[in-house]
Amino acid sequence: MSSAETDVVGSTFDLEEGLQQLIARGYQFVHPTDGSGEVQAVVGVRVHDNVVDVVRLNAEDDVEATRLPGSEQNIFAPTATLWRSRGEANQVLGEVLALPERSPAPTAVSTNGCWVPGRGGRSKWLAAR
């Protein structure tokens, strides 16, 4: 884990600081609105290393983040995810910022399962049976 990742995981930061760190990593944000022009969410997207990272902030206590395969057709209703987290902004943004920059190398054997958040902001593979 890099010192930057340690700083994120080891300390509490506010929402604004977390968003600034996402922007520094290359996230681009959009603000979808309803028919009357009211902002419904703040959505950040970053494409890198054949994956797509998406962060959707509905409220400070309602944030969802996903890492998807680069081949995913619909990032708002994905059929496959590599990692997912949902909760309060500080927790979820901390987990997103602690994700490794590069996705793990694909295994030679085709397996079923998913990445789940683990302790200390790290993810682990949970095989399906």
Side-chain angles (χ1 to χ4, degrees):
M1 184 180 286
S2 73
S3 63
E5 290 170 336
T6 304
D7 291 344
V8 169
V9 175
S11 65
T12 10
F13 60 94
D14 63 10
L15 177 59
E16 184 177 336
E17 181 181 338
L19 291 173
Q20 288 174 351
Q21 290 182 31
L22 291 178
I23 291 168
R25 289 197 180 182
Y27 279 80
Q28 305 239 338
F29 285 87
V30 294
H31 308 89
T33 58
D34 64 10
S36 65
E38 186 173 328
V39 174
Q40 298 297 298
V42 175
V43 181
V45 179
R46 178 176 80 140
V47 179
H48 64 102
D49 297 319
N50 202 27
V51 297
V52 179
D53 292 333
V54 180
V55 176
R56 180 183 174 102
L57 296 97
N58 299 309
E60 279 194 61
D61 62 350
D62 183 12
V63 177
E64 183 172 3
T66 54
R67 177 167 278 181
L68 314 167
S71 60
E72 187 60 48
Q73 294 296 313
N74 185 346
I75 64 171
F76 296 111
T79 57
T81 60
L82 302 172
W83 174 86
R84 174 174 271 160
S85 181
R86 185 174 196 137
E88 293 191 17
N90 292 345
Q91 171 219 329
V92 175
L93 294 183
E95 292 173 5
V96 169
L97 291 166
L99 283 172
E101 286 296 304
R102 298 198 180 278
S103 57
T107 59
V109 179
S110 177
T111 59
N112 291 324
C114 62
W115 286 99
V116 295
R119 292 185 183 157
R122 294 183 180 257
S123 298
K124 62 182 177 178
W125 178 256
L126 180 61
R129 295 182 189 240

